[in-house]
Amino acid sequence: MEERKFCQCCGMPLDRLQDAGTETDGTPSADYCRYCYQNGGFTAPDATMDDIIAFNLKFNAENGHPMGTQEEAEKMMRSWFPTLKRWKEV
């Protein structure tokens, strides 16, 4: 079974090719989603990990808590996001 891929910025599943961001030459990004990365750069280059977590928590609340309660979702993101490529060295 193939390992599931996730955006290395926001954690969004990259299950479909159309969910991938794009490199400068238009090819799909192997690491980032279309919301975080377009044309070879981050769509919010100054965003911090806390900004992305806050955005995801807003999405979680607006969409019926697919990531669990706000407290559970935040705890999960705070433990997982530092391991993602964009935040690893921050």
Side-chain angles (χ1 to χ4, degrees):
M1 187 164 110
E2 189 174 324
E3 186 176 323
R4 194 169 188 197
K5 294 181 89 175
F6 296 90
C7 176
Q8 294 296 299
C9 176
C10 73
M12 178 178 142
L14 296 175
D15 296 333
R16 303 175 309 164
L17 187 58
Q18 61 263 36
D19 291 334
T22 55
E23 300 297 345
T24 54
D25 63 1
T27 59
S29 170
D31 294 320
Y32 301 106
C33 76
R34 64 189 173 125
Y35 301 109
C36 292
Y37 195 78
Q38 295 175 6
N39 300 312
F42 291 109
T43 57
D46 297 327
T48 65
M49 187 174 69
D50 286 340
D51 294 334
I52 301 299
I53 288 172
F55 179 83
N56 281 359
L57 287 172
K58 182 179 175 196
F59 172 88
N60 191 52
E62 290 173 352
N63 290 281
H65 297 96
M67 294 181 265
T69 67
Q70 294 297 83
E71 294 79 18
E72 292 167 341
E74 183 172 2
K75 182 177 179 182
M76 178 275 298
M77 287 185 275
R78 292 209 177 275
S79 66
W80 181 37
F81 279 25
T83 70
L84 299 178
K85 188 175 181 176
R86 182 168 183 190
W87 312 116
K88 232 177 197 168
E89 297 179 23
V90 173

